[in-house]
Amino acid sequence: MAALSPRAVFVTRETDYELLIARHATRGQARFFLESRGQGLAAVEARHERFHAVLAQARAAVPGEWRQALVRRADLDRFLFAGDDVIVAVGQDGLIANVAKYLGEQPVIGVNPAPDLYDGVLARNPVERLARLLPASVAGAAAIERRTMVQAVIDGTERLFALNEIFVGHRSHQSARYRIEAGSEAEEHSSSGLIVASGTGATGWARSISEATRLDLSLGPDERAVGYWVREPFPSVATATRLRAGKLTDAPLVVTSRMNEGGVIFADGIEQDFLGFGWGRQVRIAPADRALHLVTG
């Protein structure tokens, strides 16, 4: 039987224009909604058209004998990726974080559709480069960064992966209560929750926490290590604040819930896609046994 040709899987998310139409049903109603608030639809519509022009150009760059597939961010958990796929994420950097948790060693090419709007730290490639990067990725000739990911194992069974960070805490603004263990040290905490971030995530949410607390950690994106930061720990007769930040390489961070309700764990800022973290549940968080294979050139 002949081998299947390579497959380029394009990953996108809805544009702001598409989300407005989904909410208001028609273009006219969306325009009325914005104009009644002193805003306009034209700029949103122009960004939508620009994005789809880039997406069409990207899909046209796929070699003619290849197969193609298109998957939206909301459908990633239901899409079956193959081991020999090449993933093309067209959009903001966060889209690469969204898809990374569903992959193994497939190469991921990030295409920035609007360099004047998006930083492109991960989605750093202009669409004009795609025609060269696709065959190079299949041939193993493309330059690749292997970016460390974070893994959380809950009660030894459920697993959650993240490219940027994993959050452990309460789903509301209430205090999160838990026991934290880092190496040989342990203490009870009451805080606004904690995050465990990779070197990639250390430039985002973790950076804002480290700058506010002056608890800085050195983490490279390809370093097999992650860092943890506790948000606003509160000292009391029953809780302490010594374990506020640290770097994890071999031993995991172990967190045991002391919350009867509202405890959650989620990855990469997707709050609605959480795992419950009720009293007595335990999570072990460490560098993952997989990495993002990001094509850089």
Side-chain angles (χ1 to χ4, degrees):
M1 180 181 295
L4 290 175
S5 60
R7 182 174 70 163
V9 179
F10 288 87
V11 180
T12 66
R13 57 169 294 176
E14 295 87 348
T15 64
D16 292 332
Y17 176 80
E18 289 168 334
L19 292 172
L20 278 168
I21 298 301
R23 181 182 302 170
H24 298 287
T26 68
R27 179 181 179 278
Q29 288 177 324
R31 183 178 62 185
F32 173 79
F33 172 80
L34 292 177
E35 290 179 350
S36 66
R37 289 157 175 79
Q39 304 170 53
L41 186 62
V44 179
E45 199 167 19
R47 288 197 301 270
H48 166 81
E49 293 172 353
R50 178 184 179 187
F51 169 81
H52 279 281
V54 172
L55 179 60
Q57 186 178 352
R59 299 195 70 172
V62 178
E65 69 275 14
W66 283 34
R67 296 169 296 140
Q68 293 191 31
L70 177 68
V71 57
R72 290 289 184 96
R73 183 179 68 168
D75 300 320
L76 286 171
D77 61 343
R78 297 186 294 275
F79 187 83
L80 184 60
F81 290 97
D84 56 355
D85 285 340
V86 179
I87 315 304
V88 184
V90 184
Q92 302 177 45
D93 290 329
L95 192 60
I96 295 178
N98 296 150
V99 72
K101 67 188 72 175
Y102 301 105
L103 302 177
E105 297 185 359
Q106 298 96 326
V108 179
I109 304 171
V111 173
N112 188 344
D116 56 325
L117 296 176
Y118 308 138
D119 290 338
V121 175
L122 300 176
R124 63 183 65 169
N125 296 292
V127 68
E128 292 80 9
R129 194 180 297 170
L130 193 57
R132 299 192 303 273
L133 289 179
L134 285 167
S137 299
V138 170
I144 287 181
E145 289 180 357
R146 289 170 174 82
R147 289 185 170 242
T148 298
M149 297 179 65
V150 191
Q151 173 180 272
V153 181
I154 302 95
D155 291 338
T157 56
E158 295 180 279
R159 291 178 184 268
L160 192 62
F161 293 92
L163 176 61
N164 290 321
E165 72 278 311
I166 285 175
F167 171 83
V168 181
H170 198 281
R171 65 171 175 250
S172 74
H173 295 293
Q174 297 182 40
S175 294
R177 292 184 173 271
Y178 52 87
R179 174 181 171 83
I180 182 174
E181 302 174 47
S184 60
E185 297 186 85
E187 60 191 21
E188 298 290 327
H189 271 193
S190 175
S191 76
S192 298
L194 62 87
I195 68 167
V196 181
S198 67
T200 300
T203 62
W205 192 1
R207 178 181 177 182
S208 67
I209 298 174
S210 65
E211 288 182 348
T213 59
R214 298 182 180 178
L215 297 171
D216 192 25
L217 300 175
S218 175
L219 281 174
D222 59 350
E223 181 181 2
R224 186 168 168 72
V226 296
Y228 75 88
W229 287 265
V230 177
R231 303 170 66 228
E232 303 170 318
F234 180 76
S236 71
V237 295
T239 58
T241 62
R242 290 180 298 107
L243 297 178
R244 300 181 64 189
K247 192 171 182 177
L248 308 168
T249 53
D250 299 322
L253 187 74
V254 181
V255 185
T256 305
S257 176
R258 299 289 189 252
M259 294 173 281
N260 279 313
E261 54 81 29
V264 295
I265 301 172
F266 59 79
D268 289 333
I270 309 297
E271 296 185 38
Q272 63 270 27
D273 187 17
F274 67 86
L275 297 176
F277 194 53
W279 185 286
R281 300 203 76 185
Q282 188 176 86
V283 61
R284 304 172 72 87
I285 313 175
D289 55 6
R290 65 173 70 170
L292 168 68
H293 287 59
L294 183 68
V295 176
T296 60

